[in-house]
Amino acid sequence: MIVRDRPNLLQLFFIVRGSIIRRILPQIIVIFLMSALIVWGHEESPNLVVSFNGSSLSLLGIALSIFLGFRNNAAYDRWWEGRRDWGQLVYVARGFARQTLVLEAEGEAGADMRKNLLRLTMAFAQALVCQLRPGSDESKVLRLLTAGEADLYRTARNRADLILRLMSADLARSKAAGAISDIQYQMLDISIGQMGAVQAACERIRNTPLPFGYTLLLHRTAYLFCFLLPFGYVDTLGWGSPFVTALIAYTFFGLDALGDELEDPFGQRPNALAIGALADTIEINLREALGETDLPPLPQPKDFVLM
Amino acid sequence: MIVRDRPNLLQLFFIVRGSIIRRILPQIIVIFLMSALIVWGHEESPNLVVSFNGSSLSLLGIALSIFLGFRNNAAYDRWWEGRRDWGQLVYVARGFARQTLVLEAEGEAGADMRKNLLRLTMAFAQALVCQLRPGSDESKVLRLLTAGEADLYRTARNRADLILRLMSADLARSKAAGAISDIQYQMLDISIGQMGAVQAACERIRNTPLPFGYTLLLHRTAYLFCFLLPFGYVDTLGWGSPFVTALIAYTFFGLDALGDELEDPFGQRPNALAIGALADTIEINLREALGETDLPPLPQPKDFVLM
Amino acid sequence: MIVRDRPNLLQLFFIVRGSIIRRILPQIIVIFLMSALIVWGHEESPNLVVSFNGSSLSLLGIALSIFLGFRNNAAYDRWWEGRRDWGQLVYVARGFARQTLVLEAEGEAGADMRKNLLRLTMAFAQALVCQLRPGSDESKVLRLLTAGEADLYRTARNRADLILRLMSADLARSKAAGAISDIQYQMLDISIGQMGAVQAACERIRNTPLPFGYTLLLHRTAYLFCFLLPFGYVDTLGWGSPFVTALIAYTFFGLDALGDELEDPFGQRPNALAIGALADTIEINLREALGETDLPPLPQPKDFVLM
Amino acid sequence: MIVRDRPNLLQLFFIVRGSIIRRILPQIIVIFLMSALIVWGHEESPNLVVSFNGSSLSLLGIALSIFLGFRNNAAYDRWWEGRRDWGQLVYVARGFARQTLVLEAEGEAGADMRKNLLRLTMAFAQALVCQLRPGSDESKVLRLLTAGEADLYRTARNRADLILRLMSADLARSKAAGAISDIQYQMLDISIGQMGAVQAACERIRNTPLPFGYTLLLHRTAYLFCFLLPFGYVDTLGWGSPFVTALIAYTFFGLDALGDELEDPFGQRPNALAIGALADTIEINLREALGETDLPPLPQPKDFVLM
Amino acid sequence: MIVRDRPNLLQLFFIVRGSIIRRILPQIIVIFLMSALIVWGHEESPNLVVSFNGSSLSLLGIALSIFLGFRNNAAYDRWWEGRRDWGQLVYVARGFARQTLVLEAEGEAGADMRKNLLRLTMAFAQALVCQLRPGSDESKVLRLLTAGEADLYRTARNRADLILRLMSADLARSKAAGAISDIQYQMLDISIGQMGAVQAACERIRNTPLPFGYTLLLHRTAYLFCFLLPFGYVDTLGWGSPFVTALIAYTFFGLDALGDELEDPFGQRPNALAIGALADTIEINLREALGETDLPPLPQPKDFVLM
């Protein structure tokens, strides 16, 4: 996630970090050069390099804007839903720390149990990051697990879910032993269930991109449109055509590329969500709730980017 | 569901799998040829093949874009809601595996009961696939059922619902026998109820298409518009007209056809949801939760398509 | 609800059932004739029948498209919400059949109580249809009620709500007699409450149309716009003007009329929801859950329409 | 709320009740006259009263349509959310009448308590109307309260909330006296909580208008746009200009004014929600549930308006 | 939040408070002057200061409107979600005051506990304001805390969350001491959990702006578009060009700036939410529920602004 103040007018045009421009620059340059070539060709031999009435392209451009607008909206909704899911996790984890206070109040065995549950909650948050961002540093999870748990973790198909099952097994044992009541069990189970809901929602967003046919159709139309544009503008804009064409291409390709970034909110690009930082924040919150005082600093953005 | 990386610029124009183009190619070719014929006819005998000012069509085109945009949005919402429902099923099934740990902790009878409930949960997921995709392989369900259950299954009106009723009857017996408490019964009943909610939601999406009058109106307008277009472009675009007309037809027919595909998210087309794979994943998750180690591999896309 | 396969290209233009065209044909013909008259008048005496630049109408047409688009979206949302409510009723009724299995498991008195509750649930679904569609056949409800209940039913102000109160009174008696526990009572009460929520939501949709001022404004603008259109097109389109004008009128009037139909999803028009069939399905589902085997067939569409 | 059948074509143009036209007629007349003056001035002295190319205004008009569309959508969402909240209150009140049947079943003290709780529920609905519509007739609340309650009511800061607190205090006393169980208390508390949620939601909608800067920006742009329009149309439309300008002004000012009405759904204008009638309906529903037979008639629209 | 009646037509153009105009005036003046310079330059030496066909800019303008519309919609949704969260807090706090009546009914210890819990609830609301608006007056929180609590508060990482933990610890002690039952504990825990949910939601909105790349792309396009506009209008509008350009710039820059304000609903700008006033209202509501009679007045807007 890009964290920076609103740029002023001058900065506005020189920021590249977080801008989509680096990814689409080659295409824009191609469009610009092509457009310039067409203007030159049209001036040299108007019969060879034809032009046509640009206004007939307006319809296509407007249609494309509407469809791109809807697609970007859908992509943004996924991004924001992903953020909401992680906000939910923050809240459930903190709530879990509060709900387990009642265990602590009931004696030392309860305090140990609480410590255990919160430790596994931290591990769950870190494991979820690893699952959503393949290639992440698994040691952040492993340092929170016991040797036995770590072995299970390594062999599990769904690692984050395993950790939830470890928590539930713990609760089930306490329940069978009569250490916690039916209602307490129910309360804690609901919280663990909510963590599972967050996981399932994140997996859903990660594993189900926007329908491929939709993406493909819009990409193709956007490219064909931008390649046709210079022919339509050569007569009315002349040498202004490459500039206007490049600006339109910047807007359309830019939105298209941004849609791609937002579609996968757990990725590693600058505009993706800072789930790593959120998992660290959850860990710090829980450590504080456990009474630890030697807390690591809150995660800070590096070079305006928080991951 | 199409599973593939974002294509590069060159691939973009040569991908057919998942593209809508195969379904609408005939219509586009017809429009292209018709447009060419009109240009030729207009050149030969302008009095016979009239032209008219294309800008008067812009209005209709923009209106059509807006309405198509709304319709596609609605179709996508159905598609995404279907996916969310199945994500919900994944999470409920996993949660059920956790919640029933408490039964296991209470002795062997409880462990058997848990195994039974999870087996029926797997069967439910597979049965739901069969119900949503008529013609699916019912053996995936039957192999999970006992002979008596299979008989009931074959004669049931609503087969997936029957399996939920089998689970509830099991719970009710345990409850009446005093094996589980009121609260435990309530917790497990809520989970079964959520599975029923997923089923009802999927049935709703499957059985209630977008209002037929709406679909019909947009289809008709889209076709009439694309048939009129060449008359409007023949003067301004000349021989460019067939190409621009075909591009516009590609965009409009393509979005229209995509809307049709997304409207029925449980169908068998490439852009439909991979509910078969999701049911298999649920089964593997539950088998793992039951401690089985000889698990089948996770479902993989074939030829970029996961069904 | 219209139930039919996607029509092919040829059928597309000849389907009238479910199409909105029958309702708006008179208006379209009027517009067509008026437009033809204007073209003729303009050719005969251009000073009397003026024309003006059609492009100045584009703005109004686009604005109208945007507002009609929003309105249709709102109408569709109501329609879909109505469907969701009934899907909710399907699921709650089935869930109720499962939840009451625990009563059955506790002896004969419980089994009778269950039968009674499910019978009233069927009656509730049928009564809700009668309430939402005045003039429906009340005998479908009455045959499910005892003589005493039927008397109460006939005099009740809110008949569907009465049935829910009958169910709750039954439960309250059992609870007071100690036949069911607090938690069981709570579970069953939640289900009955959800049925009440469905009823209240359906009443809300039925009794609160879209703001009248909004509907009026859009109707008026759409009509005035279509009456002005021929004056704007007479110069640029000539004798093509009646056809394009009629096509535009078809699109705008059609969407407007469809919005009206979707706005009242429980009505009796072809595009309305099939709530009668849904109530019958609920009844069949519950009869099956009660172990009846002599079930009526599932409701089938008549002439492509399911009501 | 306007309650009337869909007008036919002729009525369409002569309905004023519920139409927004009375509020915006002065502005439209001003625009019409101004436009006529400009046409006349331009004919007399084209150098003094300039004209300019209207197509450059199209862009502004389309942008304005899009932004007005979004704003109206947001205003409608508020209106519909207000209606949903009141629908929720209807359902909670009826559910409360059902849930308290269990009190009645437990003896006379319970029956008295039930009567008391339902009486306060009626008072709550009426008090909420008074709070949302300052200046309403408070006697509708006071006649439902005891003398002591009425005194508290008159001095309370938040009167509707006071009534909920009276209900909770009643329940708390019964709970402390052991007359109702923990679970029963929880069930009833949830219902009272839902009434509180409805109140808070209505207060939120009433006290937080759409952002003022947004409203201001759109008003200003709409007015400036309509004042510029005649200059842009004078050349192309001539004496048709005042009519088209007035039609466009009618659409834009009308939507703007309607947005204002819908933004405050609890107001007293014709398009506002009929919350007075809803509160009366709730009262009648509860009286019926209490077994009263001498019920007042259901509220009827006066002059097509239900308030 | 701006609190004022709808301005009349004259006021409409002279209100600056709450208007966005003060923030964007410099840019508009620059655009106006630039545009005037271009008109002058074009008249003096048309070869040096070129013009081009403005209609080619329409496409870009419409696309920009659509994307700005979507962005503003997203920003408004965040603003309204923030308001909904605080409405939720109002309702939970009042509900908490009702739910704890049962403690009061059980004797003096319970009454003390209730007073304590409500005091901490007030402190939570004030602490949340301080957390969302850095630099707020912390004394509003501290005066509500005991010395011991204040010490913990000052050293806590997440101060609002600490207060919730203090409440839960209180409850856990009472629960362990047997003063409250399982169900009571569950009810109160759910309410505290909802306060935590509000906090997490507000933190999410505050800490996660709209994707930076999206904001950047729209800013850049809006500025480039407005700088190009005068070149496109110089021919068709002449000296009218600076005025129309400035009006368009006002609309686009204004919406852009408003989107920025709404994006951060907890900020200190006039269009931000009045969360300070809401926290004060919650405090007054709770003081009233505790039976205090010497209540401070409700917060009033200063100079039309409520913060």
Side-chain angles (χ1 to χ4, degrees), chain E residues 260-297:
Chain E
D260 281 357
E261 288 208 1
L262 298 186
E263 190 185 336
D264 179 20
F266 307 122
Q268 309 253 24
R269 294 184 190 278
N271 285 306
L273 292 169
I275 57 174
L278 282 163
D280 290 347
T281 306
I282 287 172
E283 191 173 333
I284 292 171
N285 281 178
L286 294 185
R287 284 193 189 283
E288 194 183 4
L290 280 170
E292 294 187 22
T293 50
D294 182 24
L295 301 171

Side-chain angles (χ1 to χ4, degrees), chain B residues 52 56 63 67 156-158 168 175 182 189 193 203-204 207-208 210 212-214 217 219-220 223 260, chain C residues 6 9 12 15 19 65 76 80 83 91 94 98-99 102 181 183 187 233 237 250 255 271 288 296:
Chain B
F52 55 77
S56 50
F67 302 136
R157 280 281 172 96
N158 192 321
S168 284
K175 167 80 185 55
D182 259 22
D189 176 74
E203 287 178 0
R204 165 168 53 81
N207 296 335
T208 311
L210 289 174
F212 185 72
Y214 203 53
L217 183 71
H219 280 318
R220 283 182 181 163
Y223 276 96
D260 282 354
Chain C
R6 168 111 195 223
L9 202 46
L12 191 62
I15 288 177
S19 168
S65 306
Y76 168 71
W80 191 232
R83 182 60 186 84
Y91 136 69
R94 286 185 196 155
R98 278 198 310 274
Q99 288 177 324
V102 81
S181 73
I183 299 278
M187 279 171 63
Y233 280 176
L237 299 182
Y250 167 63
L255 276 165
N271 286 305
E288 192 182 5

Side-chain angles (χ1 to χ4, degrees), chain D residues 116-124 145 149 163 166-167:
Chain D
N116 211 27
L117 287 171
L118 295 195
R119 181 181 55 81
L120 288 171
T121 306
M122 300 174 205
F124 171 73
L145 299 180
E149 288 165 355
I163 293 177
L166 290 174
M167 291 166 81

Side-chain angles (χ1 to χ4, degrees), chain A residues 185-227:
Chain A
Y185 178 72
Q186 192 186 23
M187 281 172 61
L188 297 172
D189 177 73
I190 288 173
S191 291
I192 298 178
Q194 285 172 328
M195 296 182 206
V198 168
Q199 181 191 348
C202 291
E203 286 178 359
R204 164 168 54 81
I205 294 174
R206 190 180 181 284
N207 296 336
T208 311
L210 288 174
F212 186 71
Y214 203 52
T215 304
L216 200 60
L217 183 70
L218 287 182
H219 279 318
R220 282 181 181 163
T221 307
Y223 275 96
L224 289 172
F225 174 71
C226 288
F227 286 135

Side-chain angles (χ1 to χ4, degrees), chain C residues 71 74-75 78 207-219 260 263, chain D residues 1-4 17-20 72-73 75-80 83 255 257-259 261-263 265 269-273:
Chain C
R71 175 169 178 267
R78 293 164 59 92
N207 297 335
T208 310
L210 289 174
F212 186 71
Y214 203 53
T215 303
L216 201 59
L217 183 70
L218 288 182
H219 280 317
D260 281 355
E263 191 185 336
Chain D
M1 200 178 67
I2 312 285
V3 179
R4 63 185 308 163
R17 165 70 66 179
S19 168
I20 212 68
N72 266 44
N73 212 33
Y76 168 72
D77 281 350
R78 292 164 60 92
W79 184 85
W80 190 233
R83 181 61 186 85
L255 276 165
L258 258 173
E261 289 208 2
L262 298 185
E263 191 185 336
R269 294 182 189 279
N271 285 306
L273 292 170

